[in-house]
Amino acid sequence: MIGKWRKRFEGTALGSGIVVDGERKAFGSRARPRLMMTMAVFLGLYAALSGRMIHLAMTDPEVGAGPASRVTASRPDIVDRNGEVLATDIKTASLFAEPRRIVDADEAIEKLATILPDINYEQTYNKLKSGAGFVWLRRQLTPKQQSDIMNLGVPGFGFRTEKRRFYPGGSTAAHIVGLVNVDNQGISGIEKYIDDQGLADLQASGLAQPKDLAPFQLSIDLRVQHIVHDEITQALTRYHAIAAGAVVLNAKTGEVVAMASVPDFDPNNPFNAHEKDRLNRMSAGTYEMGSTIKSFTTAMALDSGKMNLNSTVDASKPFRFGNQTIRDFHGKNRVLTLPEVFIFSSNIGSGHEADIVGLEGHREFIHRMGLLDRMKTELPEVARPTEPKVWKKVHSMTIAFGHGMSTTPLQTAVGVVALMNGGFLMNPTFLPRTRDAALESATRVVSQQTSDEMRYLYKLNATKGTGGSATRATVPGYRIGGKTGTAEKVVHGRYSKDVRFNAFVGAFPIDDPQYVVLSIVDEPKPEKPGQAATAGLNAGPLFSNIIRRSAPLLGVQPDFRLEEKPLLVSSQ
């Protein structure tokens, strides 16, 4: 009987509500995936809720009241070639308010104004009455300001720790290092360059951690940078000028060792950084560079093969073409050799040199030297030079002696580097670079012979007794060579004889130049009553002072022997 009933029981259909063994197994295999899926969903929800609860438990309630701050993103230190810090991050406090917790907005503002007297009453009042959960009141407070505000005891005020950029040297390298905004993002100079190289992306992704950011090294030598900044600041006052500047370039690598322009600004308090007279005149200003351009005119004549050191031009009378006339500032009124054209800075002679080479050849050479194209370097603040849209003979004649085209002082110095280093044009760099790396990307623009001959002319121009314009720029113990440039500025549409832009460019030691220095003084006044205000009397001494103080730091030792090593120059 038992066996009979068992058989009847096992044979009962599913519809009766009783499951047989085989059907039980099939049902279990179908239910298991659904059960696992349900468990996974509940585990996911549990994990999300747990994570949120842990996050809230670890969050400072005051900090959590506001939006996530982007200012906490770190930046690498910027250091000079010797590891001296030019820019670094420091911690600072920023003040915020929770308007919903402010009981009396008027009282809160009155108390706050005793610590921050320049606070905007109307704007701050509107913020405190907005009913919002979080508003910024003042970013980047000093430690004393933070302490004083805390002592006010105003409910609803709080502080958030942020990072602030600090520049130990103040304005010394302001135009090179640049600036960041209140969110610690680079907006000018090398600071902006660093962001453009990928730092901004790292900050946005939260990967810019201080421990992972190696110092960013520049080619700048802070010691020389300080000297340059100090000398141009003194020159600004001594010559009652509207601006002054200088750059020191390594003639072998194209590295910028120092560069400054005044008036400038303090990057720690850059309230006036955007005033138009505080631009970086060395790379972001374009000027008619005057007779310094004769360096390129003479080099062009020599490199063309149409003239040599024995060539002569007739400077006995003004150079006339069409309705135009070129005259010399201090004319010799005679036939001049090519070296005399250079050392006497003859406009007439320079015009003849350009005429011999020809219009197209002249324009091609100036472009070849990089003077009329936008310069490529790490600084974002680089101006585009200007030239006539269509070159005519009048343009070629005036450009030959430095009028009619505008370029930057830094580009002029870079072009002179090519004339001094054997003929290789190198883009200037603010980053360390070896000689081999510089030559890999360099372009030969003049021959070795032309470079040798230009060094000879530069030295001749600075040798006492020759009548050269660079004799006031000499430095005892150092073999220097150079060229002055006194350019009349345009005032009310006409060139003014009393308003000048002066420059001096030179190299040392001139028999094998290691460094090129260019100095500028904008609209100088005579240092003494009755004295002229030409480049030889201001930009020249500025050049001299920079070399006298910086040469020993650059490893160039003085040589006080009376007899100087002669230059070996071919005149063929």
Side-chain angles (χ1 to χ4, degrees):
M1 288 294 292
I2 294 175
K4 181 179 178 181
W5 282 106
R6 179 180 295 169
K7 290 179 180 179
R8 291 183 62 186
F9 176 78
E10 289 175 349
T12 305
L14 283 173
S16 65
I18 302 173
V19 183
V20 298
D21 289 343
E23 290 167 337
R24 183 184 297 110
K25 292 179 181 179
F27 177 77
S29 64
R30 290 194 300 271
R32 189 174 295 109
R34 298 175 185 175
L35 179 61
M36 295 299 292
M37 186 179 298
T38 303
M39 290 176 64
V41 171
F42 277 104
L43 284 173
L45 290 173
Y46 177 78
L49 290 172
S50 299
R52 179 60 176 164
M53 291 175 68
I54 293 172
H55 173 74
L56 292 174
M58 297 177 64
T59 302
D60 185 331
E62 283 194 334
V63 174
S69 175
R70 294 173 296 171
V71 182
T72 54
S74 299
R75 302 185 65 81
D77 286 354
I78 298 177
V79 299
D80 83 335
R81 67 188 306 115
N82 301 311
E84 296 295 328
V85 176
L86 300 172
T88 189
D89 280 350
I90 61 173
K91 289 184 178 180
T92 185
S94 291
L95 174 66
F96 69 86
E98 297 173 276
R100 295 172 186 171
R101 295 176 56 193
I102 298 295
V103 178
D104 189 334
D106 293 304
E107 181 184 9
I109 294 174
E110 288 179 5
K111 287 184 176 182
L112 189 59
T114 62
I115 312 301
L116 307 175
D118 61 335
I119 195 167
N120 186 310
Y121 270 72
E122 183 178 358
Q123 185 181 71
T124 305
Y125 181 82
N126 290 335
K127 285 183 176 181
L128 296 182
K129 296 292 288 184
S130 65
F134 179 98
V135 292
W136 284 116
L137 294 182
R138 178 64 61 90
R139 306 287 286 274
Q140 300 180 348
L141 300 168
T142 66
K144 186 178 187 308
Q145 287 174 330
Q146 181 187 13
S147 176
D148 291 343
I149 294 173
M150 289 177 66
N151 291 334
L152 294 177
V154 178
F157 281 178
F159 300 93
R160 175 172 291 174
T161 299
E162 299 185 300
K163 290 184 177 69
R164 178 181 180 180
R165 206 62 165 160
F166 176 64
Y167 303 90
S171 61
T172 302
H175 283 123
I176 296 175
V177 177
L179 287 171
V180 297
N181 61 17
V182 72
D183 291 324
N184 223 24
Q185 298 165 332
I187 57 174
S188 69
I190 293 297
E191 294 279 30
K192 186 176 189 305
Y193 173 77
I194 293 173
D195 280 29
D196 293 343
Q197 298 308 299
L199 178 64
D201 294 334
L202 287 175
Q203 290 176 335
S205 62
L207 298 177
Q209 300 301 319
K211 61 183 179 63
D212 300 324
L213 298 175
F216 193 87
Q217 188 174 41
L218 303 185
S219 61
I220 304 303
D221 187 320
L222 185 56
R223 302 168 302 173
V224 181
Q225 180 69 27
H226 169 75
I227 290 169
V228 168
H229 187 267
D230 181 56
E231 286 295 337
I232 65 174
T233 301
Q234 291 186 50
L236 189 70
T237 302
R238 182 184 306 123
Y239 304 119
H240 307 285
I242 65 169
V247 61
V248 180
L249 288 167
N250 186 315
K252 303 296 185 181
T253 65
E255 294 170 293
V256 179
V257 178
M259 186 181 75
S261 170
V262 290
D264 54 9
F265 57 90
D266 182 354
N268 295 308
N269 184 28
F271 68 95
N272 57 355
H274 297 296
E275 293 178 2
K276 63 179 182 180
D277 67 329
R278 298 181 186 275
L279 84 160
N280 179 7
R281 285 170 164 79
M282 302 307 293
S283 66
T286 59
Y287 305 92
E288 294 185 336
M289 293 299 296
S291 294
T292 58
I293 299 299
K294 291 174 183 174
S295 301
F296 305 103
T297 306
T298 300
M300 172 187 66
L302 292 170
D303 204 61
S304 71
K306 297 181 179 180
M307 299 186 77
N308 58 47
L309 293 179
N310 296 321
S311 298
T312 60
V313 297
D314 184 5
S316 61
K317 56 183 180 298
F319 186 9
R320 293 185 173 85
F321 54 95
N323 296 324
Q324 306 297 323
T325 302
I326 298 176
R327 295 181 172 84
D328 282 341
F329 185 64
H330 291 299
K332 300 299 179 181
N333 301 314
R334 61 177 174 83
V335 172
L336 300 176
T337 64
L338 186 143
E340 287 178 326
V341 168
F342 189 78
I343 66 174
F344 298 150
S345 200
S346 171
N347 294 342
I348 296 171
S350 297
H352 280 295
E353 289 174 342
D355 194 37
I356 289 170
V357 172
L359 189 65
E360 291 304 318
H362 187 190
R363 185 175 185 274
E364 185 277 329
F365 186 84
I366 298 298
H367 273 278
R368 189 198 315 171
M369 297 304 299
L371 296 174
L372 293 178
D373 299 308
R374 191 173 188 272
M375 182 172 52
K376 295 179 180 179
T377 190
E378 294 82 16
L379 283 191
E381 298 78 28
V382 174
R384 183 176 296 278
T386 61
E387 63 174 312
K389 290 184 178 179
V390 178
W391 276 48
K392 299 179 181 178
K393 187 171 183 177
V394 62
H395 300 127
S396 181
M397 296 300 101
T398 58
I399 288 173
F401 56 85
H403 287 78
M405 58 163 267
S406 296
T407 190
T408 69
L410 180 55
Q411 278 174 278
T412 306
V414 169
V416 171
V417 165
L419 299 182
M420 296 290 109
N421 70 7
F424 296 98
L425 183 67
M426 306 168 179
N427 287 330
T429 181
F430 291 84
L431 308 181
R433 182 167 65 189
T434 64
R435 169 70 169 167
D436 290 341
L439 288 176
E440 284 180 7
S441 59
T443 303
R444 178 174 281 284
V445 288
V446 297
S447 68
Q448 179 67 55
Q449 178 174 320
T450 298
S451 178
D452 291 342
E453 291 171 343
M454 288 307 301
R455 288 191 290 106
Y456 168 76
L457 293 176
Y458 262 46
K459 176 56 182 172
L460 191 65
N461 195 39
T463 301
K464 294 185 185 300
T466 62
S469 61
T471 55
R472 288 188 175 89
T474 55
V475 185
Y478 294 96
R479 291 168 52 80
I480 71 101
K483 184 71 185 78
T484 54
T486 302
E488 296 175 351
K489 294 181 70 173
V490 175
V491 179
H492 303 306
R494 299 177 62 88
Y495 284 105
S496 171
K497 295 184 180 298
D498 300 319
V499 183
R500 302 180 177 95
F501 180 86
N502 292 350
F504 188 97
V505 61
F508 74 101
I510 195 60
D511 52 322
D512 182 20
Q514 304 297 309
Y515 297 94
V516 166
V517 179
L518 184 144
S519 58
I520 63 170
V521 184
D522 195 358
E523 297 189 20
K525 308 299 185 296
E527 186 177 8
K528 299 176 182 178
Q531 193 178 60
T534 55
L537 294 170
N538 40 65
L542 174 56
F543 165 94
S544 176
N545 290 341
I546 290 172
I547 293 177
R548 176 177 52 81
R549 295 176 61 185
S550 65
L553 300 175
L554 293 170
V556 182
Q557 299 302 317
D559 183 356
F560 294 99
R561 291 176 298 180
L562 294 178
E563 292 186 3
E564 297 180 324
K565 180 181 176 181
L567 292 172
L568 300 178
V569 177
S570 171
S571 61
Q572 299 302 315

